[in-house]
Amino acid sequence: MENEELEQLEEEVHTPRPRWQVWLARLALVVFLAFLLMYYINISRGGI
């Protein structure tokens, strides 16, 4: 029983994410950081 469980764990192989998901996540991160930077610049200038 334990051998079967170990074999199942060994058979599960990590499959990497598709390239489009990786690049979409990178793009979303860049957009988020740009908005965050604009927000901080706005706050440092006194808001509104």
Side-chain angles (χ1 to χ4, degrees), residues 13-30:
V13 179
H14 172 73
T15 55
R17 296 217 178 257
R19 288 183 191 246
W20 66 269
Q21 281 185 346
V22 174
W23 281 106
L24 190 63
R26 290 175 182 167
L27 179 64
L29 179 64
V30 169

Side-chain angles (χ1 to χ4, degrees), residues 36-48:
L36 190 65
L37 181 63
M38 289 189 300
Y39 174 74
Y40 285 143
I41 289 172
N42 189 23
I43 293 298
S44 69
R45 290 186 172 187
I48 302 180

Side-chain angles (χ1 to χ4, degrees), residues 7-17:
E7 288 176 3
Q8 286 178 349
L9 290 175
E10 290 176 358
E11 289 176 5
E12 294 176 7
V13 179
H14 172 73
T15 55
R17 296 217 178 257

